[in-house]
Amino acid sequence: MAAHLPLIFKILLSFCYGASSFDQVSFLQCFSLHSLQSNSTSLTITTRNDPTYISLLQSSIQNLRFLNTSSPSPQLIVTPVHPFQIQAAIVCSQKHGVHVRVRSGGHDYEGLSYVSQIPFIIIDLRNMRSVEVDVEKECAWVESGATLGELYYGISQKSKFLGFPAGSCPTVGVGGHVSGGGFGTIFRKYGLAADNVIDAKIVDVNGKILDRKAMGEDIFWAIRGGGGASFGVIFSWKIKLLPVPPTVTVFEVDKTIEENATMLLYKWQNVAHRLHEDLFLHAVIGVVTPSSTSANKTISISFGGLYLGKIERLLPLIRETFPELGLTRESCTEMSWIQSVLYFAGFSQDGSPGVLLNRTQSSKSFFKAKSDYVTKPISETGLEGLWNKLIEDEASYLILTPYGGVMSQIPDSETPFPHRRGNMYQIQYMVTWASEEESNQHINWMRGLYDYMAPYVSSFPRAAYMNYRDLDLGRNYIVNTTYAQASVWGLKYFKSNFRRLVKVKTASDPTNFFWNEQSFPVLSPRR
Ligand SMILES: Cc1cc2nc3c(=O)[nH]c(=O)nc-3n(C[C@H](O)[C@H](O)[C@H](O)COP(=O)(O)OP(=O)(O)OC[C@H]3O[C@@H](n4cnc5c(N)ncnc54)[C@H](O)[C@@H]3O)c2cc1C
Ligand SMILES: *[C@@H]1O[C@H](CO)[C@@H](O)[C@H](O)[C@H]1NC(C)=O
Ligand SMILES: *[C@@H]1O[C@H](CO)[C@@H](O)[C@H](O)[C@H]1NC(C)=O
Ligand SMILES: *[C@@H]1O[C@H](CO)[C@@H](O)[C@H](O)[C@H]1NC(C)=O
Ligand SMILES: *[C@@H]1O[C@H](CO)[C@@H](O)[C@H](O)[C@H]1NC(C)=O
Ligand SMILES: *[C@@H]1O[C@H](CO)[C@@H](O)[C@H](O)[C@H]1NC(C)=O
Ligand SMILES: *[C@@H]1O[C@H](CO)[C@@H](O)[C@H](O)[C@H]1NC(C)=O
């Protein structure tokens, strides 16, 4: 009878009636049978008995909330070096009733790439991270297991005049980042990482390798912003590289509320999204204690950014559009584009770009984050209330990222990422802490902050960025998630693209093998 049930029911049954039923020996036999064309299994599979299992599992966990001992751990970890081994892992997982989580850089905010409540294995793509740059054709093939740092480094070794519009944190994985959108300091000029994908290779639920032509335009559309995890394992991306000038300028101006930062931010809201697309001016807001003699905390706003050009052209641009900022030549530094990548990654711009190859994040912490989109300016009173909230938890900060530029010209349905015209800026709320006992306190505080912000941000739906994943927005049941239930989180991330994403999911993975807490539901399960 079980043979007639969709796979996911079988997985659930095997969970309920004994998780230990996973037959590791048979899995390993299956795996080596299906990956004959590639090399030794022992190098690509790490089981719970292996001494390296714990360090392999934990090495790319970025959020310490999911590093605790009560987190469910995978039956084994596959670290493929070749797509054949991904195919084998998919086929054998289905045969042996385990579920799969795919991990590239491990930065998922809710740990979905390495934690699951049902028995699972991890396919960790760390060993598939080649970056092949074609300077003449201005494109590159980059494997999903590469980090953004490895990508930027690879480009810089081949050309000083080409760049790529993706995020600032160099340890973020290409696999999760590109499939979920991906923005950085030049996205107002060039759009998201996902907007600049021209081909991709995926292993689908049947274990088949498909390129753009073979997967078809629906799947190719869905994996450029809808998240990869619902559709298969995307192991390689062909991306368009884009021109960057030989000299760019970075700048920063810091103000506290005593120095009129509130008024400046109020003004910034109207200015930043209208600036020339060569100019990116974000605001990072945090709590500071100005001096050791003063016990009073205050809010400091760092207005910083990147201009794709020289200081002499930046200064008049700012003077014309945002004179109140008081930007001076001293606050600006000219450098190459790859140096600006180092700068925004927190490294010295004068150091070697080789530091971008380091896959270990410098400081890991416990964190909880959320996101919002702002479509009309927040009043100064609203901002002052926000400062009061932030001061309640001094380990918090906000990053306000201006939209506009080319982001307003790309239609909402071009890719699954719908946050385009009409958005002034995005807010990321972040709170970090250092020990597990503090978790509840900070998470509850974050939820309170989110409630406070409701009147000031987008509504119906209250939009959110999928790559800042937040399970508070809603989560799927294991077997019975309905369209209506999933649309609670789905409409926030994807607005009117949600329906098409569910259709693509239903057609490409009818048994819902690629399930997670925020994967797309399958409309009518095959019986
Ligand atoms: C410190 C930090 C800084 C960040 N900065 C930025 C930023 O500047 N801009 C921005 O846009 N975002 C940023 N992010 C968010 C980041 O883009 C997302 O967390 C992204 O999903 C991480 O990708 P990953 O491969 O590292 O994560 P993972 O945890 O490996 O994966 C994330 C999700 O994608 C799935 N997935 C991963 N690889 C694949 C694959 N090959 N095929 C199919 N599915 C896959 C996973 O299963 C999981 O569901 C940042 C995150 C952190 C922690
Ligand atoms: C297998 O290993 C050999 C020797 O190390 C290598 O030359 C070959 O490319 C490998 N094959 C695959 C498919 O990885
Ligand atoms: C431990 O990790 C799990 C997820 O793996 C999480 O749900 C739980 O809240 C964590 N426990 C603590 C105390 O943080
Ligand atoms: C703040 O703004 C007020 C009124 O515009 C002005 O008088 C004052 O000098 C400003 N303070 C600072 C520190 O810039
Ligand atoms: C701190 O704040 C209190 C109350 O607002 C105020 O009376 C006091 O002068 C402030 N102290 C300093 C050093 O700014
Ligand atoms: C990589 O970065 C980590 C964290 O900052 C650091 O501890 C380590 O020494 C670095 N590794 C190398 C080879 O530089
Ligand atoms: C789905 O299942 C969960 C438990 O797995 C249950 O709490 C929930 O009520 C179910 N929902 C529906 C619509 O059946």
Side-chain angles (χ1 to χ4, degrees):
M1 185 194 101
H4 303 292
L5 290 174
L7 182 80
I8 196 74
F9 284 89
K10 283 188 245 165
I11 292 173
L12 184 76
L13 291 176
S14 74
F15 177 53
C16 297
Y17 302 109
S20 59
S21 71
F22 174 69
D23 184 346
Q24 184 170 302
V25 173
S26 309
F27 184 94
L28 294 178
Q29 280 166 354
C30 173
F31 188 85
S32 51
L33 193 71
H34 282 84
S35 54
L36 272 184
Q37 295 163 84
S38 63
N39 285 330
S40 154
T41 344
S42 62
L43 294 174
T44 51
I45 292 195
T46 306
T47 66
R48 285 177 169 167
N49 304 328
D50 285 310
T52 55
Y53 172 87
I54 296 281
S55 63
L56 175 61
L57 173 63
Q58 295 189 345
S59 60
S60 74
I61 292 183
Q62 308 293 340
N63 189 343
L64 298 185
R65 275 168 60 209
F66 305 104
L67 194 74
N68 67 40
T69 45
S70 52
S71 297
S73 63
Q75 302 287 345
L76 50 82
I77 303 169
V78 183
T79 44
V81 296
H82 193 282
F84 289 137
Q85 295 157 337
I86 303 174
Q87 297 178 291
I90 299 286
V91 169
C92 299
S93 297
Q94 296 183 27
K95 204 168 254 169
H96 292 279
V98 273
H99 168 73
V100 164
R101 290 290 160 111
V102 187
R103 182 164 75 173
S104 290
H107 287 65
D108 193 280
Y109 280 13
E110 300 278 15
L112 298 195
S113 56
Y114 52 85
V115 180
S116 173
Q117 301 305 320
I118 50 179
F120 70 111
I121 66 160
I122 293 177
I123 300 178
D124 185 314
L125 296 172
R126 67 183 59 217
N127 292 331
M128 292 181 68
R129 56 172 196 269
S130 71
V131 179
E132 287 169 35
V133 175
D134 185 334
V135 174
E136 253 164 47
K137 297 206 170 96
E138 304 192 346
C139 66
W141 273 104
V142 54
E143 286 185 313
S144 285
T147 60
L148 297 181
E150 289 169 331
L151 172 60
Y152 294 140
Y153 177 86
I155 297 170
S156 75
Q157 293 307 98
K158 291 287 174 65
S159 168
K160 292 188 166 41
F161 308 105
L162 292 173
F164 186 67
S168 315
C169 172
T171 56
V172 165
V174 163
H177 188 71
V178 176
S179 64
F183 71 89
T185 55
I186 55 174
F187 88 124
R188 299 186 66 250
K189 186 175 177 75
Y190 292 128
L192 305 170
D195 295 331
N196 292 286
V197 171
I198 45 190
D199 202 341
K201 290 185 185 158
I202 187 172
V203 178
D204 76 358
V205 68
N206 302 315
K208 289 216 174 81
I209 293 179
L210 309 172
D211 66 2
R212 175 176 183 168
K213 200 166 165 228
M215 77 179 83
E217 288 304 303
D218 273 343
I219 297 179
F220 184 65
W221 173 83
I223 59 173
R224 286 175 296 150
S230 289
F231 304 101
V233 183
I234 302 113
F235 60 90
S236 194
W237 307 83
K238 187 180 187 183
I239 57 173
K240 190 160 46 164
L241 302 180
L242 294 146
V244 289
T247 305
V248 305
T249 303
V250 305
F251 57 94
E252 185 179 329
V253 175
D254 295 348
K255 299 280 184 197
T256 62
I257 40 181
E258 289 72 24
E259 296 165 326
N260 290 340
T262 308
M263 181 270 280
L264 277 179
L265 191 76
Y266 182 76
K267 179 83 199 279
W268 173 92
Q269 298 181 96
N270 291 308
V271 169
H273 67 106
R274 294 201 181 100
L275 290 170
H276 191 278
E277 61 185 27
D278 284 346
L279 180 51
F280 171 79
L281 170 52
H282 71 172
V284 181
I285 304 173
V287 184
V288 291
T289 309
S291 76
S292 49
T293 52
S294 154
N296 289 353
K297 292 177 207 141
T298 187
I299 295 291
S300 174
I301 306 184
S302 170
F303 296 91
L306 175 73
Y307 176 60
L308 292 171
K310 296 187 171 180
I311 296 178
E312 68 200 55
R313 296 207 27 221
L314 168 64
L315 287 175
L317 249 179
I318 294 278
R319 232 174 273 135
E320 200 180 295
T321 50
F322 196 15
E324 300 86 345
L325 185 61
L327 181 68
T328 60
R329 187 169 285 271
E330 289 68 46
S331 308
C332 302
T333 314
E334 288 181 348
M335 57 184 71
S336 67
W337 182 73
I338 193 69
Q339 284 181 302
S340 81
V341 170
L342 291 170
Y343 171 89
F344 284 103
F347 296 116
S348 159
Q349 69 262 21
D350 300 319
S352 155
V355 293
L356 295 171
L357 300 176
N358 190 336
R359 293 172 65 93
T360 307
Q361 212 195 317
S362 56
S363 58
K364 288 188 186 182
S365 57
F366 295 74
F367 69 86
K368 176 68 194 166
K370 290 179 176 289
S371 62
D372 260 320
Y373 282 90
V374 179
T375 55
K376 51 183 198 304
I378 302 176
S379 65
E380 290 198 45
T381 320
L383 292 174
E384 278 155 10
L386 173 56
W387 308 157
N388 291 336
K389 290 299 283 184
L390 291 180
I391 284 174
E392 288 171 14
D393 193 331
E394 38 187 314
S396 64
Y397 61 91
L398 312 179
I399 302 175
L400 276 48
T401 301
Y403 274 52
V406 76
M407 288 299 287
S408 295
Q409 286 153 28
I410 299 172
D412 289 5
S413 59
E414 182 88 1
T415 70
F417 182 96
H419 317 291
R420 309 276 186 174
R421 179 183 295 281
N423 289 292
M424 300 171 73
Y425 60 97
Q426 177 205 57
I427 305 179
Q428 172 169 216
Y429 311 92
M430 176 65 81
V431 60
T432 65
W433 61 97
S435 76
E436 195 157 303
E437 305 82 70
E438 296 174 46
S439 292
N440 284 342
Q441 170 202 330
H442 292 288
I443 293 171
N444 288 336
W445 173 83
M446 178 59 83
R447 290 174 181 155
L449 174 66
Y450 192 69
D451 290 344
Y452 169 79
M453 289 301 287
Y456 303 107
V457 297
S458 67
S459 51
F460 308 110
R462 183 172 180 181
Y465 176 34
M466 193 226 122
N467 258 344
Y468 294 159
R469 193 190 306 283
D470 179 5
L471 290 182
D472 292 348
L473 301 181
R475 61 169 82 211
N476 297 335
Y477 297 114
I478 292 176
V479 289
N480 61 357
T481 306
T482 64
Y483 181 88
Q485 287 162 341
S487 66
V488 175
W489 56 264
L491 293 175
K492 291 174 187 294
Y493 291 149
F494 304 108
K495 298 190 187 171
S496 56
N497 293 328
F498 179 65
R499 178 166 287 277
R500 183 172 174 197
L501 286 161
V502 174
K503 280 191 191 148
V504 179
K505 167 71 176 180
T506 303
S508 66
D509 180 23
T511 61
N512 204 3
F513 176 65
F514 293 111
W515 176 89
N516 69 44
E517 290 77 358
Q518 284 185 344
S519 61
F520 301 105
V522 168
L523 277 182
S524 47
R526 199 160 56 187
R527 287 178 195 282

